[in-house]
Structures are given as structure tokens and as C-alpha cells.
Amino acid sequence: LDDVMVFLGLRADPGLVSVARHTASMPQYVVGHLDRIERISRLEQKLPGLVLAGNAFRGIGIPDCAASSAAAVTRLLAELPQ
């Protein structure tokens, strides 16, 4: 938490912190996850400037998270006025 606060330049303690540890296991999405993600994506497209990214969407691994972040940045840059 200290590292994140320094990186983001935050001075106040967060109001909520949640840590999920998956020791010796690989997290799994629940049945219906892809349908839920498609609905979220359609709603996201209706709200310019809102871009969601992370392991909760289309992959839990580091490469998936990096791809999710890169796609989010690409979408945000496409919305900037030229």
C-alpha cells in the first residue's frame, strides 16, 4: 500500500482496502462470466471517458493484465480530440 501511495502521489489513507490471496491455486471465473463481461463492455461504450481494465475481465495472468491495460490506453487515446 505504501508503494502504491507513493507512486500515485496520495497522502490520505484509503477508505477501503481489500486483499484477496489465492495461495497454491489459480482463480477461476464463475459460470456466466463472459456474458457478464459483454454486458459491461456494452455499457462501458456508452460512457465516453470510462475505460475498465484489469484481471477481472478477460484474463488473470500478467500478460492478460498488460494487454488489458494497453487496450484501455488505446481506447482512451482514440477519444482524445485531435
Side-chain angles (χ1 to χ4, degrees), residues 34-60:
L34 293 178
D35 293 333
R36 196 171 304 106
I37 294 306
E38 288 308 314
R39 287 195 313 270
I40 291 169
S41 293
R42 286 193 299 273
L43 292 171
E44 180 184 16
Q45 291 171 4
K46 294 179 181 180
L47 298 168
L50 174 67
V51 177
L52 304 173
N55 69 342
F57 299 100
R58 291 189 171 85
I60 59 168

Side-chain angles (χ1 to χ4, degrees), residues 1-73:
L1 182 58
D2 291 338
D3 292 339
V4 171
M5 290 179 72
V6 168
F7 179 76
L8 296 176
L10 302 175
R11 293 190 180 94
D13 288 334
L16 175 69
V17 175
S18 175
V19 176
R21 298 190 192 277
H22 304 282
T23 57
S25 66
M26 186 71 122
Q28 301 292 313
Y29 297 127
V30 297
V31 173
H33 176 78
L34 293 178
D35 293 333
R36 196 171 304 106
I37 294 306
E38 288 308 314
R39 287 195 313 270
I40 291 169
S41 293
R42 286 193 299 273
L43 292 171
E44 180 184 16
Q45 291 171 4
K46 294 179 181 180
L47 298 168
L50 174 67
V51 177
L52 304 173
N55 69 342
F57 299 100
R58 291 189 171 85
I60 59 168
I62 292 172
D64 297 316
C65 291
S68 175
S69 299
V73 169

